[in-house]
Each structure stands twice: as C-alpha cells, then as structure tokens.
Amino acid sequence: MSNLNLLLFGVYPYIALAICLIGSWARFDLAQYTWKTGSSQMLDPKGMRVASNLFHVGILFVLAGHFVGLLTPAAVYHHVISTENKQLLAMVSGGFFGILCLIGLLMLIQRRFSNPRVRASSSTSDHLILIVLLVQLLLGLLTI
C-alpha cells in the first residue's frame, strides 16, 4: 500500500503538473488565438456584473485558499494558528467563497443556456466548460 500512496500522492501530482504546463505551453505556441471565449456581455448585460463578480471573487479566494493552505508548512502556521483552527478556518472561508462562486456560476449558466442571443453566440465548449466548473465546484463543496 505504501507504493500506491507514493505513486498517487508523491509522483502523480508532478506528472499532472508537468502535463498541464507542457500542454498549456504547446497550445499557446501552436494555437495562440484559441485561448479566449467570445464575450457575451454586450449581447445582454442584465445581471452580468453581479454574476461575474460573484463567480470571480469566489474562485479567486478559493484558489488563493488552496494555494496558501496546501503550500504553507506546519512549522510556519503553528506560530499563528493551531491545526484544528486552520482546518476550521479553511472550511468556513472555503465554504463561504465556494457558495459565492456557486451562486455566480449558476447565474452565468442560467444566462448562457436560457438567453437566446447569448446561447446563439456560444460554442459547445463554452457550455462544457461551465458544466465542468459546476461539477468540480459541487464536488469541492460536498467535501466540506
């Protein structure tokens, strides 16, 4: 079982990170102008400001929380907070910002799928990205 743990938690994250970086570099180099999605804000700006801000503020804080929480060594944060309180802080703040992100994402999904003008200008990948983000966000929130 120790070899499986080493493979899953010691080797696999670095393989996944390498694939992400090399794949991103290759896509940027080979198909530079495919790194965008068509803006739909001009088609119907109603509710877009609230939905976009909720989603982006939520996702930025969730990502920052993962970055700080996972990469801060215990010896550093033990001077400030105990392990139990760090976990409680992560659950409360992650849950709060995850819910903000979820509300914004649901508003954006509802707009993308129900507004005829926005739906007509959307590609299949736009819809799939929103669904994948929703599934990933729900899985993260369910683990709290």
Side-chain angles (χ1 to χ4, degrees):
M1 192 55 120
S2 177
N3 289 336
L4 182 63
N5 282 340
L6 176 65
L7 179 67
L8 291 178
F9 301 108
V11 177
Y12 177 72
Y14 293 105
I15 293 171
L17 183 63
I19 290 171
C20 177
L21 292 175
I22 293 168
S24 296
W25 180 25
R27 182 170 178 193
F28 181 78
D29 195 37
L30 298 174
Q32 186 172 4
Y33 297 106
T34 64
W35 282 69
K36 65 173 187 64
T37 182
S39 176
S40 63
Q41 186 172 1
M42 291 177 15
L43 297 174
D44 185 21
K46 184 180 70 171
M48 182 70 175
R49 181 177 298 246
V50 173
S52 181
N53 284 339
L54 284 174
F55 172 74
H56 284 96
V57 166
I59 200 75
L60 287 174
F61 275 94
V62 166
L63 288 173
H66 278 88
F67 185 76
V68 170
L70 293 174
L71 295 180
T72 304
V76 173
Y77 71 78
H78 273 267
H79 295 293
V80 180
I81 192 170
S82 68
T83 302
E84 295 82 14
N85 288 335
K86 177 186 175 239
Q87 289 174 347
L88 181 63
L89 176 66
M91 288 189 304
V92 171
S93 63
F96 175 75
F97 288 110
I99 294 293
L100 281 183
C101 185
L102 178 64
I103 292 169
L105 183 60
L106 288 173
M107 291 170 71
L108 291 171
I109 288 173
Q110 185 270 334
R111 180 179 172 275
R112 175 86 48 187
F113 282 91
S114 68
N115 187 311
R117 293 181 72 197
V118 176
R119 188 178 51 232
S121 70
S122 299
S123 67
T124 304
S125 64
D126 291 337
H127 293 112
L128 289 176
I129 291 292
L130 289 173
I131 299 302
V132 167
L133 284 172
L134 179 65
V135 168
Q136 190 172 4
L137 184 60
L138 287 174
L139 286 173
L141 286 171
L142 288 173
T143 61
I144 293 177

